[in-house]
Amino acid sequence: MDSTVAQFFDQMKGRDVTFIGLGVSHRELISLFAKKGAHVTIRDRRTPEQMGEEYEKLKAQGIDFILGEHYLDKLDGDMIFRTPGMYFHHEALKKAREEGKVVTSEMEVFFDLCPAKLIAVTGSDGKTTTTTLISELLKAQGKRVHLGGNIGKPLLSHIEEMGPEDYAVVELSSFQLLSMRQSPDIAVVTNIAPNHLDVHGTMEEYIAAKKNILLHQNAFSTTVLGVDNELAASLAPDVRGKLVTFSMQGPVERGAYMDEAGDIFYADSGNVLKIMNRDAIKIPGDHNVLNFLAAISATWGLVSLENIVKIAENFGGVEHRIELVRIRDGVRWYNDSIATSPTRTIAGLNAFKQKVILIAGGYDKKIPFLPLAPKIIEKVKALILMGATADKIEDTVRGFSGFDGEKLPIYRVGSMEEAVQKAAELAVDGDIVTLSPACASFDLYQNFETRGEHFKSLVRAL
């Protein structure tokens, strides 16, 4: 075990450690800190009855609980871990910091202690697929890889297993990055578009959070930017180490790009090497070509050309991302529940060469739907709306120039069950039905994964 890691856990003996939220990233950590001799308290909005068996199991380990509506009152402890989705500037956390409490997160501590080489990915769209691709490319090369952050396992729980020859490949959200003051060896920004404005309030804060992925790098680091996106490209002046870029719009000075014929190359100071044609990439859509360009740019020099092509030809995508659920009576049903913003839904619609039946709507993140309207008019043959944003999406589409209610009928439903049934009634042989909500799921579901699983179960039961 790395000596810095060992020293950190030795210091936890007898310390009061509070975890806000019993979520995925905290479950393993709570047991680990308890085993290391810390006095652990869990604060959660849920009641013991809502937690069920998990509450009894943790209580038996000597872990204390503060539960219910007032779970954030009088925050205390030598160290307070906020859940990844909790806003850093939440009033309860601000008050705790003002009182001198240590407020941190699993990712912040992991970045401080990590003995492995760190590659981190952020962006408004594509970060999960890009992160997974980087992991798959490195594994194909025989590297020992730990995948985590906003996806996969909580990495701090496994830090004792990591060594200096390993790679930690991490997806980071704006909520995680907002308080980060450490940056990875290789930082990737896929793109930046309006998202999570219901929490951040302004685009300025959202962009500033994303920028933290590279602001604390040193001169020996690498930053990868998607320059087809204006906001991501604008971060170039803040890069301190090596700048690598990627583009679908033609050559770049250093990085992966695609030409008009769909051929993919890597350029470095005048040297250009052809890698493959975009047709070699198994998963569909321009957005997945961009994800591959980002992953190639991040791992160039670490992964052979042969392994890059092998992963392109065999990687089938990540669950809930234009995932083919089934083919029924000639109708192809896709789960794109990850599309929690208009830009994600636009990318999902562009992945298909024909018009589709679209199921959309959900929780309101205060993101404008105007950019989505022309794409819906162009690519959708029937629109099925549900959730809190149904009115906003319908009003935006109906009010957009070129809308024709006869060519694009709009249906309103009250649940996912009704949405799937309506789509099944409308679809005929050769049609495509896709769940691509353009919204978060919190009005009806705990997260986009739960929404996607429900959709898939309903489709399979048809």
Side-chain angles (χ1 to χ4, degrees), residues 55-75:
Y55 172 82
E56 299 299 336
K57 182 180 175 184
L58 290 167
K59 196 78 176 170
Q61 294 178 32
I63 290 165
D64 290 334
F65 288 84
I66 297 173
L67 303 175
E69 187 180 345
H70 301 288
Y71 73 109
L72 293 177
D73 290 357
K74 298 178 182 176
L75 277 178

Side-chain angles (χ1 to χ4, degrees), residues 253-447:
E253 185 176 337
R254 182 188 295 110
Y257 70 90
M258 189 181 80
D259 68 8
E260 290 181 358
D263 288 327
I264 293 171
F265 301 86
Y266 191 90
D268 191 354
S269 304
N271 298 313
V272 178
L273 178 66
K274 181 178 175 181
I275 301 170
M276 60 188 168
N277 186 272
R278 66 170 293 165
D279 291 341
I281 298 173
K282 182 178 180 180
I283 47 177
D286 285 352
H287 62 301
N288 280 319
V289 175
L290 278 166
N291 294 336
F292 255 99
L293 294 175
I296 292 167
S297 299
T299 58
W300 192 257
L302 300 173
V303 178
S304 70
L305 188 60
E306 179 186 2
N307 281 325
I308 290 172
V309 175
K310 182 175 80 172
I311 294 301
E313 291 174 342
N314 292 284
F315 179 72
V318 183
E319 192 179 16
H320 307 298
R321 291 148 179 86
I322 319 183
E323 174 193 7
L324 179 62
V325 180
R326 73 179 289 197
I327 302 172
R328 173 182 178 267
D329 297 335
V331 178
R332 301 172 74 87
W333 293 77
Y334 286 89
N335 166 32
D336 195 26
S337 184
I338 184 61
T340 58
S341 67
T343 52
R344 290 299 292 256
T345 297
I346 290 169
L349 293 174
N350 281 334
F352 302 111
K353 295 179 181 178
Q354 67 185 74
K355 285 196 172 188
V356 304
I357 297 169
L358 172 65
I359 301 171
Y363 173 79
D364 191 354
K365 293 198 287 184
K366 311 299 182 187
I367 307 172
F369 292 107
L370 192 59
L372 179 59
K375 187 57 63 177
I376 286 178
I377 291 170
E378 175 195 349
K379 302 283 288 190
V380 175
K381 66 180 290 186
L383 177 60
I384 301 169
L385 294 174
M386 59 184 285
T389 57
D391 285 342
K392 279 190 176 182
I393 297 173
E394 180 168 358
D395 291 346
T396 304
V397 173
R398 287 190 182 279
F400 197 84
S401 175
F403 172 75
D404 184 336
E406 291 187 6
K407 293 181 180 177
L408 175 54
I410 299 176
Y411 303 90
R412 300 291 289 271
V413 295
S415 65
M416 189 67 78
E417 287 87 350
E418 289 181 32
V420 170
Q421 284 300 324
K422 175 54 70 175
E425 290 170 18
L426 297 171
V428 297
D429 187 1
D431 274 345
I432 288 171
V433 178
T434 180
L435 168 70
S436 193
C439 307
S441 59
F442 309 132
D443 57 334
L444 294 172
Y445 299 95
Q446 183 180 359
N447 50 47

